[in-house]
Amino acid sequence: MIHKVRFSFEKCIAAVLFAAVCAYPGARLFNAITLEDSLVLISETLCKSVSFEGIILRNEIPLGISPENVRCSDGERIPAGYELTAGAVSPGSAVYMEKCDGFEYLSPPEGNITADIVQTLLASEPHTPSKGRLVTGRFWYCAVLADGELPAGKSRIRIKAHEDVLTGFVSKGEDNAYIIRFAMDDGKYLSERKVTGEVILKEYTGFVVPESAVYEKDGKNYVCVITPAGEQEQEAKVLYRYDGKALLKKDGELQEGVRITGHTSDLFPEGSFIVFS
């Protein structure tokens, strides 16, 4: 429970004496900023990323065989030559999937990828879903339109429908159009189609605070730490700034659980104090 009281200088003396008498052990008085203007440091991880919309494409073979007539289970990987049913064998190593969405006719584009190609893929309409399908090959792909430039090569990608982060290989096209290639190792993505996601460019771990909590002096950044003895100036390294916030590096006296002032202007309002109870 927190109480905040403001008095003129003359009334403050009487109030402090009264509080000192009434407060039980453990209460403290700070001639400082109110707790309403303070915050406790909590470690967070922020991602600098580029968002995208895209469509997942695979090398797929539509089947005309009802699932009850297939000699394998949904999601099962089968070898080349495997007899799915009498007279039907798998042409290569593949994953059998019962669920179909009518987009089995789409295949990964070859050659240079452009924004027009991706937009055409995104606008495509489903055909009549097949009765089961075989997903072949070692990879699956996502043709994307990104909100900014992506680095070519190995990247960390998050598909918004799922929280896990995947490793993919980005191939650059034109006008922020890209193909991202993934290894065929997770069955839950074999039924995704039109998706949104993000490519993680960099991750930062530290303490997110309002920029108003940080002030500059002599070319260095500082915050004001609240301690039982009063307020103490503490140097702080700013890792990243965004949307009126600053990410501070966990370092030295800046550790999780430390309380700092949320605003560095007018740090010591005359006649104010905090009672912890």
Side-chain angles (χ1 to χ4, degrees):
M1 184 176 177
I2 301 169
H3 306 278
K4 182 185 72 173
V5 186
R6 288 182 179 272
F7 293 108
S8 64
F9 179 76
E10 292 79 8
K11 293 181 180 179
C12 183
I13 296 177
V16 170
L17 289 174
F18 177 78
V21 171
C22 295
Y24 52 79
R28 301 185 181 94
L29 299 179
F30 289 170
N31 295 315
I33 197 165
T34 68
L35 279 182
E36 290 179 358
D37 296 319
S38 69
L39 59 123
V40 175
L41 298 181
I42 300 175
S43 183
E44 298 184 50
T45 297
L46 298 181
C47 296
K48 184 179 180 181
S49 63
V50 175
S51 298
F52 65 79
E53 62 173 336
I55 182 167
I56 290 177
L57 305 166
R58 296 168 285 266
N59 293 307
E60 300 180 78
I61 301 174
L63 300 175
I65 308 170
S66 297
E68 59 269 21
N69 296 324
V70 176
R71 297 169 179 168
C72 58
S73 302
D74 184 37
E76 181 181 347
R77 177 170 286 279
I78 57 177
Y82 181 88
E83 190 174 47
L84 292 162
T85 188
V89 299
S90 174
S93 175
V95 177
Y96 170 71
M97 303 295 293
E98 291 182 3
K99 182 179 179 181
C100 298
D101 58 7
F103 289 97
E104 294 79 34
Y105 69 95
L106 297 177
S107 59
E110 298 180 358
N112 190 41
I113 188 76
T114 66
D116 287 342
I117 291 175
V118 179
Q119 287 170 346
T120 299
L121 288 168
L122 288 170
S124 57
E125 296 291 333
H127 292 180
T128 301
S130 59
K131 296 179 180 180
R133 58 195 164 106
L134 294 179
V135 182
T136 65
R138 297 173 52 208
F139 305 101
W140 56 277
Y141 306 83
C142 191
V144 308
L145 285 176
D147 290 341
E149 186 173 356
L150 300 178
K154 188 177 180 180
S155 296
R156 302 178 69 225
I157 294 101
R158 180 183 288 112
I159 304 295
K160 291 293 177 65
H162 305 278
E163 289 303 316
D164 46 329
V165 176
L166 305 174
T167 298
F169 191 89
V170 178
S171 296
K172 185 174 176 59
E174 299 176 3
D175 302 322
N176 290 337
Y178 301 85
I179 285 286
I180 306 177
R181 186 187 72 202
F182 300 91
M184 189 86 75
D185 58 359
D186 199 332
K188 67 185 177 185
Y189 292 98
L190 299 185
S191 292
E192 294 289 347
R193 193 63 71 175
K194 295 182 181 181
V195 297
T196 59
E198 61 181 348
V199 176
I200 300 171
L201 303 180
K202 195 167 184 179
E203 288 185 332
Y204 304 86
T205 300
F207 306 117
V208 177
V209 302
E211 281 194 305
S212 59
V214 184
Y215 60 97
E216 186 174 338
K217 187 174 73 173
D218 300 328
K220 296 182 179 180
N221 293 307
Y222 293 87
V223 294
C224 184
V225 176
I226 299 175
T227 72
E231 290 71 32
Q232 296 180 357
E233 186 178 68
Q234 176 65 44
E235 185 177 348
K237 183 177 180 181
V238 177
L239 298 175
Y240 187 55
R241 295 179 187 268
Y242 71 103
D243 297 338
K245 297 180 177 63
L247 183 70
L248 306 182
K249 181 180 180 181
K250 183 187 295 186
D251 189 31
E253 297 298 321
L254 289 185
Q255 297 296 325
E256 193 153 359
V258 168
R259 185 178 290 276
I260 68 170
T261 58
H263 300 275
T264 55
S265 58
D266 192 23
L267 280 177
F268 307 104
E270 182 178 346
S272 67
F273 63 89
I274 302 172
V275 178
F276 292 79
S277 59

